[in-house]
Amino acid sequence: MQNIEKQKFLWGSATAAYQCEGAWDADGKGLGEWDVFSHGNPLNINGATGDVSCDFYHHYEEDIDMLKAGGQNTYRFSISWARILPNGRGAVNQGGIDFYNRVIDYCLKQGVEPNVTLFHYDLPEAIAKEGGWENRAIVDAFAEYARVCFTAFGDRVKLWVTINEPKYYAYCSHMVGNYPPNHRHDFNRYFTTVYHEAVASAKAVAIYHSLKLNGSIGIVHDSSNVEVAPDTKEKERVHMIADLFYNRIILDTACKGEFPGALIPLLRKYGIDTSYIKFEDMLVFLQGKVDFLGLNVYNRFYITDYSAGETEVFHNNKGAGSSAKEGIRIRDWYETAIDPNTKRNLWGREIYPKCMYNTLMEIKERYGDIPVYITENGHGCYEKPNDEGYVEDDERIEMMQGYIDYMLKAMEDGCNVRGYYAWSTMDLYSWVNGYEKRYGLVRVDFDDHNRRYPKKSYYWFKKLIEDYRKAEEEYAFEFYMNAVILVLKKNM
């Protein structure tokens, strides 16, 4: 009888290096662009830094223990490039290698699958000074960094991600301007950055495959399911442009190994530079197709026509202190539409659980049976603990349950979803939002030695995982018995 065992579904949570590690200059780590930004840039509007954060660097065993106790069997985290290569290339810092070895080994000791991201926003300052992702030289620098990590950790890490949210990183860095290097409305830099990220990712994937390590490698895209408002005049045109802008430059290159040719005439038509697009990169894309796709699912992009005014970007890093809604207007392309029937969080972003289902079904339709992991899904809140330090975060539970329900529906309808990661494992530094905006399943008291307190959502998530596994076991037993009966009937 053939093996009918169902693959183990991964339930876990996620963090990123700069947001949680602290120890910003410890044990040989080099300077990162976020160290420089947070220490003195006036655009760091909340004045917070990741110098200590929740100090995962010294609390990693406690955090992994708590994660495991919550029923989670996987942990997604990123590596700090500057902790491994302090100058972005060249000399390897053994202190950084040792730290990540300790984290990986402890995960495995506790039966927790490590899911490791190479780049999650935190560029070494030495590379940033060379022009960062705008400079073609970063492609080879990233390949060198990737090879160092694969060689050091690839014997134990079986799930790798090249780059987290290449589009959103470029968007915040060069369109919104709230992330370093803080350029606004700069389409040339935006597309150059996204393109070089796509090439670098493909090159890293090809290197990983050439090493013949026993694992899988993918890329993480922030879900950008495009929906067009009903009263939009040029629905097909608006949808096509937005889909190229948000999705296909990443997903077509990563999943199909094809650069979306329709993008080049569109960029040229609007005077956007395309000189960085090289013919030889088309082979790199073809050789660097991913094994899986990670999706960070929070919202859709709900849009309509826009031709009346200039390009504007709206972003809210002040929460309730601002009335700004997240969105964009691009002259002659489109603008964000407002759906009066959809809730928004305190940071102006839509809360639209159905986008989980729509995104997954769209991925299945376009890219077939590619394995998918929901690598982030969560909800940022202001929170007040009770006298015992406990947080009843019912708002987060309600929001996440809705998204998970739609994920399970997509799985029932044939999507090859292999895992789900809550964002985030614990409270951490939320980039320009600082520490008021909290995502964690575990509360961190930043004023009391970073003490950890599981929230109500931690226990809810634990129960959800337990219920899923129980149902999975019952299904597996029923499936097994039906298979046995079929074999017995054939032999009668």
Side-chain angles (χ1 to χ4, degrees), residues 333-486:
W333 284 13
Y334 55 81
E335 72 169 323
T336 304
I338 302 298
D339 185 344
N341 300 313
T342 302
K343 291 182 182 178
R344 289 180 179 261
N345 66 16
L346 291 173
W347 284 266
R349 173 178 287 179
E350 271 197 338
I351 301 172
Y352 187 66
K354 194 182 178 186
C355 73
M356 173 73 81
Y357 180 82
N358 294 342
T359 295
L360 288 170
M361 298 307 292
E362 187 171 82
I363 293 298
K364 176 178 170 56
E365 179 183 344
R366 289 186 180 180
Y367 306 109
D369 198 40
I370 186 169
V372 175
Y373 294 88
I374 303 304
T375 38
E376 280 187 31
N377 175 240
H379 186 52
C381 303
Y382 291 121
E383 296 174 346
K384 289 186 178 180
N386 64 17
D387 292 342
E388 286 74 45
Y390 182 67
V391 171
E392 293 196 28
D393 50 343
D394 294 307
E395 182 182 333
R396 174 174 294 112
I397 292 168
E398 178 185 359
M399 178 270 189
M400 291 177 67
Q401 183 70 65
Y403 281 73
I404 290 172
D405 287 345
Y406 273 112
M407 178 189 74
L408 296 174
K409 177 173 169 48
M411 291 168 67
E412 289 176 5
D413 290 345
C415 290
N416 188 10
V417 183
R418 302 284 184 87
Y420 172 95
Y421 293 82
W423 182 270
S424 54
T425 306
M426 78 294 280
D427 289 339
L428 35 65
Y429 174 76
S430 190
W431 305 112
V432 183
N433 301 293
Y435 292 96
E436 278 194 303
K437 186 181 187 182
R438 299 203 175 202
Y439 278 94
L441 299 175
V442 173
R443 174 178 171 256
V444 176
D445 188 340
F446 297 106
D447 298 319
D448 185 16
H449 307 287
N450 286 305
R451 287 185 63 186
R452 270 70 165 157
Y453 299 86
K455 301 177 188 177
K456 186 175 182 179
S457 59
Y458 171 91
Y459 297 106
W460 158 81
F461 195 46
K462 179 181 180 180
K463 177 72 162 50
L464 182 147
I465 295 169
E466 289 171 350
D467 290 346
Y468 179 88
R469 288 185 181 143
K470 183 178 178 182
E472 195 174 38
E473 288 170 4
E474 290 173 353
Y475 171 83
F477 179 75
E478 181 181 354
F479 186 78
Y480 176 79
M481 291 306 298
N482 287 337
V484 170
I485 290 168
L486 284 173

Side-chain angles (χ1 to χ4, degrees), residues 278-349:
K278 308 295 182 185
F279 178 75
E280 58 265 30
D281 293 335
M282 302 307 115
L283 181 59
V284 175
F285 292 140
L286 194 61
Q287 294 173 335
K289 289 188 285 187
V290 296
D291 302 318
F292 68 85
L293 180 62
L295 292 174
N296 293 352
V297 181
Y298 293 99
N299 61 300
R300 63 180 169 170
F301 281 88
Y302 189 59
I303 56 172
T304 189
D305 313 275
Y306 181 67
S307 59
E310 298 303 314
T311 295
E312 294 181 84
V313 178
F314 306 96
H315 213 77
N316 182 354
N317 289 114
K318 296 183 178 180
S322 170
S323 60
K325 294 179 173 63
E326 186 175 87
I328 189 170
R329 292 173 179 157
I330 303 178
R331 185 177 180 178
D332 296 328
W333 284 13
Y334 55 81
E335 72 169 323
T336 304
I338 302 298
D339 185 344
N341 300 313
T342 302
K343 291 182 182 178
R344 289 180 179 261
N345 66 16
L346 291 173
W347 284 266
R349 173 178 287 179

Side-chain angles (χ1 to χ4, degrees), residues 125-411:
E125 176 64 8
I127 299 290
K129 283 181 177 178
E130 297 174 358
W133 288 102
E134 298 170 58
N135 184 345
R136 174 80 187 197
I138 198 172
V139 173
D140 288 335
F142 185 75
E144 177 185 337
Y145 162 58
R147 188 181 292 274
V148 169
C149 291
F150 297 152
T151 302
F153 313 123
D155 59 327
R156 286 152 293 147
V157 175
K158 306 304 179 186
L159 284 173
W160 288 92
V161 166
T162 55
I163 298 175
N164 178 80
E165 298 181 342
K167 181 267 294 181
Y168 193 70
Y169 170 77
Y171 184 76
C172 289
S173 299
H174 301 301
M175 294 299 291
V176 181
N178 59 340
Y179 287 9
N182 308 106
H183 300 125
R184 280 183 62 79
H185 303 171
D186 196 322
F187 285 89
N188 287 332
R189 285 188 167 108
Y190 170 83
F191 281 107
T192 304
T193 292
V194 172
Y195 181 81
H196 286 156
E197 287 178 299
V199 177
S201 175
K203 201 162 188 176
V205 169
I207 290 170
Y208 183 79
H209 288 156
S210 73
L211 294 173
K212 300 191 183 305
L213 295 165
N214 182 27
S216 301
I217 187 164
I219 194 169
V220 164
H221 179 60
D222 52 304
S223 165
S224 303
N225 173 248
V226 176
E227 292 188 29
V228 179
D231 58 351
T232 303
K233 296 173 185 175
E234 297 184 87
K235 289 185 172 65
E236 290 186 8
R237 175 182 178 272
V238 165
H239 186 278
M240 181 200 72
I241 293 174
D243 199 36
L244 285 166
F245 183 80
Y246 288 119
N247 295 314
R248 290 183 54 199
I249 191 172
I250 300 300
L251 296 180
D252 282 10
T253 53
C255 299
K256 298 168 70 174
E258 300 174 2
F259 184 80
L263 185 60
I264 296 174
L266 176 71
L267 297 181
R268 289 176 178 168
K269 179 180 179 181
Y270 290 96
I272 298 169
D273 180 34
T274 60
S275 62
Y276 48 84
I277 299 174
K278 308 295 182 185
F279 178 75
E280 58 265 30
D281 293 335
M282 302 307 115
L283 181 59
V284 175
F285 292 140
L286 194 61
Q287 294 173 335
K289 289 188 285 187
V290 296
D291 302 318
F292 68 85
L293 180 62
L295 292 174
N296 293 352
V297 181
Y298 293 99
N299 61 300
R300 63 180 169 170
F301 281 88
Y302 189 59
I303 56 172
T304 189
D305 313 275
Y306 181 67
S307 59
E310 298 303 314
T311 295
E312 294 181 84
V313 178
F314 306 96
H315 213 77
N316 182 354
N317 289 114
K318 296 183 178 180
S322 170
S323 60
K325 294 179 173 63
E326 186 175 87
I328 189 170
R329 292 173 179 157
I330 303 178
R331 185 177 180 178
D332 296 328
W333 284 13
Y334 55 81
E335 72 169 323
T336 304
I338 302 298
D339 185 344
N341 300 313
T342 302
K343 291 182 182 178
R344 289 180 179 261
N345 66 16
L346 291 173
W347 284 266
R349 173 178 287 179
E350 271 197 338
I351 301 172
Y352 187 66
K354 194 182 178 186
C355 73
M356 173 73 81
Y357 180 82
N358 294 342
T359 295
L360 288 170
M361 298 307 292
E362 187 171 82
I363 293 298
K364 176 178 170 56
E365 179 183 344
R366 289 186 180 180
Y367 306 109
D369 198 40
I370 186 169
V372 175
Y373 294 88
I374 303 304
T375 38
E376 280 187 31
N377 175 240
H379 186 52
C381 303
Y382 291 121
E383 296 174 346
K384 289 186 178 180
N386 64 17
D387 292 342
E388 286 74 45
Y390 182 67
V391 171
E392 293 196 28
D393 50 343
D394 294 307
E395 182 182 333
R396 174 174 294 112
I397 292 168
E398 178 185 359
M399 178 270 189
M400 291 177 67
Q401 183 70 65
Y403 281 73
I404 290 172
D405 287 345
Y406 273 112
M407 178 189 74
L408 296 174
K409 177 173 169 48
M411 291 168 67

